Amino acid sequence: MSKLTLVATATFGLEAVVKREIEALGYPVLRSEDARILYTGDERALVRSNLWLRSADRVLLLMGEFTAKTFEELFQQTKALPWEEWIPMDGKFPVEGVSVKSTLHSVPDCQAIVKKAVVERLKETYGIQRFPETGANYAIKVSILKDRVSLTMDTSGPGLHKRGYRVRDVAAPIKETLAAAMVQLSFWKEGRLLVDPCCGSGTIPIEAAMIAKNIAPGLGRKFASEGWEAVPAHLWKEERKAAFAAMDYDKDVRIRAFDIDERAIKAAAINAREAGVDDCIEFRVLPVQRLHEVLESEGGAEPYSIMIANPPYGERIGEKKEIREIYKALTAFFSQEPTWSLYLVTSDKEFEKLFREKPADRRRKLYNGRLEICYYQYYGLKPPRKEQEEA
């Protein structure tokens, strides 16, 4: 096994969540930067990271870091790296890049220089002049920030948010990686009721159920590095087998998910079945305004429950008046249920003052794609100490 430096990329604001996930897998973190966490591992770590990281966007293999202010420096230092250890004779190696506040500001030129340097290195290794690039994909990324160059290869392929279970969709879905982070940043755990009043295609409840049942988020998909010769195929087989064995279907997982849109509920139910968690999630068509009424009619709103929500926001998916009605209904609900906790994400900067008189206990700036959002956290009354110990 080789000692590798891996990079887990993350949405801005989720670096701490991803760092905890990496440490939980047993890999030492080297440093945490904006939108990326560097850590050490081996080929098995590369495999396990792709299968298990819930809130990371991608897993990259760091090939090298150096300072470059001229194209010659970029070329020579790129060429000096051991690309042949990873890219075989028929490997496909497209190059994409980004440059911020750097002397080498032309991204197309930087990409061309890196491509040329890798080709020259591989020519010397394989003794050929042209590469067919018909094999596995070894996508190279050149990132330059303030003249500091980072060269990586993408081990994931499609982003890690593409779990494979979302076979039906609705407007403005939340990314699976963000939904998983929202659950992990909440106080919810097995044995406690979780409610999503605006579930859409079911991403939040599905991710919560997968966390509770310890289902690896990457089990239902393929990764770019599965075709890499330098990553032994038996590692993928062994780690997938271990992931299946790690599932725990005996957990007390109770999740109720509601939405006013019947099509969304149908889509959510199909997605939950695809993810293998439909046994612990109840989906129902219901407006937020009737949530408390329905819970009361069915035995009452269970104390110390958790609500995690991604209500509509923005003109594209809802009129402001309708959104304000949702806030009003949530305010009424929580005034009657002081033991409940609310975790809600929205881009609406007026939410906090419209929801309750007191400010949120915690707030965190995040991004859903390129849209800036805020994760508001309101903590309910704590259960008596004895109940806390038993919880």
Side-chain angles (χ1 to χ4, degrees):
M1 290 289 185
S2 307
K3 184 177 181 181
L4 311 175
T5 298
L6 300 173
V7 182
T9 62
T11 299
F12 282 105
L14 296 184
E15 294 90 347
V17 178
V18 175
K19 180 183 176 183
R20 286 196 292 270
E21 290 185 23
I22 292 168
E23 291 173 335
L25 289 176
Y27 303 119
V29 171
L30 298 173
R31 64 181 188 271
S32 182
E33 305 172 342
D34 284 347
R36 66 182 213 157
I37 297 88
L38 284 77
Y39 61 107
T40 57
D42 54 17
E43 288 85 353
R44 190 178 295 275
L46 183 156
V47 173
R48 294 191 71 219
S49 297
N50 275 298
L51 288 173
W52 282 101
L53 291 182
R54 299 182 187 278
S55 300
D57 291 331
R58 293 178 184 279
V59 177
L60 309 177
L61 171 65
L62 182 66
M63 293 299 295
E65 291 183 302
F66 51 83
T67 298
K69 294 184 178 181
T70 67
F71 287 132
E72 182 63 18
E73 289 176 338
L74 178 62
F75 177 84
Q76 293 297 342
Q77 294 186 84
T78 299
K79 185 183 176 186
L81 298 173
W83 299 100
E84 71 282 357
E85 292 181 2
W86 293 94
I87 304 176
M89 193 179 299
D90 67 343
K92 180 165 53 179
F93 49 103
V95 179
E96 65 174 32
V98 62
S99 179
V100 179
K101 298 179 181 179
S102 299
T103 306
L104 300 177
H105 54 80
S106 172
V107 172
D109 286 340
C110 291
Q111 292 174 168
I113 292 294
V114 168
K115 180 78 174 185
K116 181 179 178 182
V118 176
V119 167
E120 291 302 314
R121 174 82 184 205
L122 296 181
K123 279 183 180 179
E124 294 177 0
T125 300
Y126 297 118
I128 59 175
Q129 294 301 307
R130 292 183 177 277
F131 294 88
E133 297 199 47
T134 55
N137 196 28
Y138 299 80
I140 298 170
K141 182 168 184 178
V142 50
S143 302
I144 311 177
L145 174 61
K146 297 178 181 178
D147 299 326
R148 188 66 181 170
V149 179
S150 174
L151 289 169
T152 57
M153 287 198 299
D154 182 6
T155 76
S156 300
L160 294 181
H161 70 282
K162 293 185 178 295
R163 316 288 207 214
Y165 64 71
R166 187 181 273 175
V167 292
R168 291 287 182 90
D169 224 334
V170 295
I174 191 171
K175 286 179 70 174
E176 292 86 337
T177 46
L178 176 57
M182 289 172 64
V183 174
Q184 293 183 91
L185 286 168
S186 77
F187 287 142
W188 181 71
K189 61 181 180 179
E190 62 156 321
R192 181 176 280 189
L193 175 65
L194 173 64
V195 170
D196 181 352
C198 310
C199 72
S201 57
T203 309
I204 291 174
I206 290 171
E207 290 294 323
M210 291 176 69
I211 290 170
K213 292 177 178 290
N214 201 37
I215 299 174
L219 266 181
R221 55 162 290 175
K222 297 290 185 180
F223 302 93
S225 49
E226 286 192 65
W228 292 11
E229 294 177 8
V231 182
H234 71 85
L235 294 181
W236 292 100
K237 293 180 181 179
E238 291 169 5
E239 290 303 320
R240 279 202 165 89
K241 183 178 179 180
F244 276 110
M247 292 181 186
D248 188 348
Y249 279 89
D250 295 327
K251 294 284 187 73
D252 175 20
V253 183
R254 291 174 297 116
I255 302 173
R256 305 188 72 179
F258 308 95
D259 200 282
I260 195 172
D261 187 343
E262 183 177 357
R263 291 172 302 173
I265 290 297
K266 288 181 178 179
I270 292 171
N271 292 340
R273 187 162 58 248
E274 187 71 18
V277 294
D278 54 310
D279 62 318
C280 61
I281 307 174
E282 175 198 347
F283 292 103
R284 186 189 301 191
V285 178
L286 187 75
V288 178
Q289 291 83 347
R290 292 195 57 219
L291 178 59
H292 194 265
E293 167 199 337
V294 168
L295 292 179
E296 283 295 303
S297 70
E298 297 176 352
E302 188 176 317
Y304 309 110
S305 295
I306 300 290
M307 183 182 292
I308 302 180
N310 173 40
Y313 44 84
E315 298 298 328
R316 184 167 67 88
I317 54 173
E319 297 297 330
K320 281 191 174 182
K321 183 179 178 182
E322 295 173 350
I323 295 171
R324 297 299 186 269
E325 288 298 316
I326 292 175
Y327 297 167
K328 185 178 178 181
L330 290 175
T331 299
F333 183 98
F334 281 90
S335 67
Q336 298 174 82
E337 300 298 337
T339 67
W340 279 53
S341 295
L342 173 66
Y343 299 85
L344 181 143
V345 67
T346 180
S347 66
D348 190 344
K349 298 185 183 301
E350 297 183 349
F351 169 76
E352 197 169 13
K353 69 178 182 180
L354 292 171
F355 174 57
R356 306 189 78 167
E357 292 182 2
K358 69 171 188 173
D361 294 295
R362 287 198 68 180
R363 64 186 67 78
R364 182 186 294 253
K365 185 168 76 172
L366 302 171
Y367 287 86
N368 186 21
R370 295 185 177 182
L371 181 65
E372 181 180 325
I373 55 181
C374 188
Y375 189 37
Y376 297 97
Q377 303 174 45
Y378 294 87
Y379 306 144
L381 297 176
K382 292 183 179 180
R385 183 170 296 276
K386 184 176 181 181
E387 289 186 33
Q388 280 183 295
E389 294 173 354
E390 294 175 351

